[in-house]
């Protein structure tokens, strides 16, 4: 089956928590991938999202000033 992956960058303006992680993640830009597969037997092309992945650590993050 064909799967397509689209990438986007999201920006968090403050720290955030995710289930299963020990500590909050810092504010910054994160890459998010979405995997989608085609929906079969429809009259037009359509895609269904089957997975999303966020890449840690941040691509860029504001470092705390001392």
């Amino acid at each position: 089956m064909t799967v397509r992956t689209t990438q986007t960058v999201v920006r968090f303006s403050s720290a955030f928590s995710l289930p299963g992680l020990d500590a909050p993640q810092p504010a910054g830009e994160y890459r998010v991938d979405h995997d989608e597969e085609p929906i079969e037997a429809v009259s037009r092309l359509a895609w269904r999202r089957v997975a999303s992945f966020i890449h840690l650590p941040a691509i860029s993050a504001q470092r705390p000033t001392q």
Side-chain angles (χ1 to χ4, degrees), residues 7 10 13-14 19-20 30 36:
Q7 296 179 353
V10 296
S13 58
S14 58
Y30 291 81
E36 301 170 317

Side-chain angles (χ1 to χ4, degrees), residues 27-49:
E29 294 179 345
Y30 291 81
R31 192 176 94 206
V32 177
D33 295 344
H34 302 286
D35 288 350
E36 301 170 317
E37 63 185 19
I39 298 174
E40 303 290 333
V42 295
S43 59
R44 63 183 89 124
L45 181 60
W47 295 84
R48 158 179 56 213
R49 184 168 295 164

Side-chain angles (χ1 to χ4, degrees), residues 2 12 35 43 56 60:
T2 302
F12 292 92
D35 288 350
S43 59
L56 304 174
S60 65

